[in-house]
Amino acid sequence: MTGERDIDPAPLAVGALVGLAGILFLLEPVVDPIPIFGTPTPPFVLSGALLTVGFGLGAAVYLRRGRQLIGLAHAIGAGGFGLLVGATALGSGAVLVAGVAVLAGGCAFLVGQMR
């Protein structure tokens, strides 16, 4: 044993993005909206955007490595949270319902696959 560890940066990047999203979500009650391109944006919206990017990166990484189920799980998360962020940006109830449906349906599918 050499004592060295091989660190895989891709899962670390995914974990960092998802962790930062969680922190932004928890900071929502105590942090003022953050200006993004001149528009005040609540931290929970940024949280959803970071989840979308993190899960999208995870989907690409795991699918490319041949790990279909975990890659698909990340892709479902990216699509669902992307729709939730889009619903917030557009103020659309229909897009919100679609995002929730993707997340709920994806969860049901993944639970079925795990059985």
Side-chain angles (χ1 to χ4, degrees):
M1 182 177 269
T2 62
E4 293 181 26
R5 286 186 168 175
D6 290 333
I7 296 178
D8 190 358
L12 289 176
V14 172
L17 287 168
V18 172
L20 184 57
I23 290 169
L24 281 172
F25 183 78
L26 292 174
L27 289 177
E28 169 65 25
V30 294
V31 175
D32 290 333
I34 301 164
I36 303 293
F37 301 117
T39 303
T41 307
F44 80 90
V45 174
L46 297 176
S47 173
L50 282 175
L51 277 175
T52 301
V53 171
F55 283 143
L57 176 62
V61 166
Y62 290 115
L63 289 172
R64 189 167 183 179
R65 293 179 179 183
R67 300 193 59 196
Q68 264 63 30
L69 188 58
I70 194 166
L72 184 59
H74 280 78
I76 290 167
F81 281 107
L83 286 170
L84 294 180
V85 171
T88 304
L90 299 171
S92 170
V95 177
L96 177 67
V97 170
V100 171
V102 166
L103 291 173
C107 287
F109 167 75
L110 292 169
V111 166
Q113 291 296 308
M114 296 302 293
R115 298 187 111 225

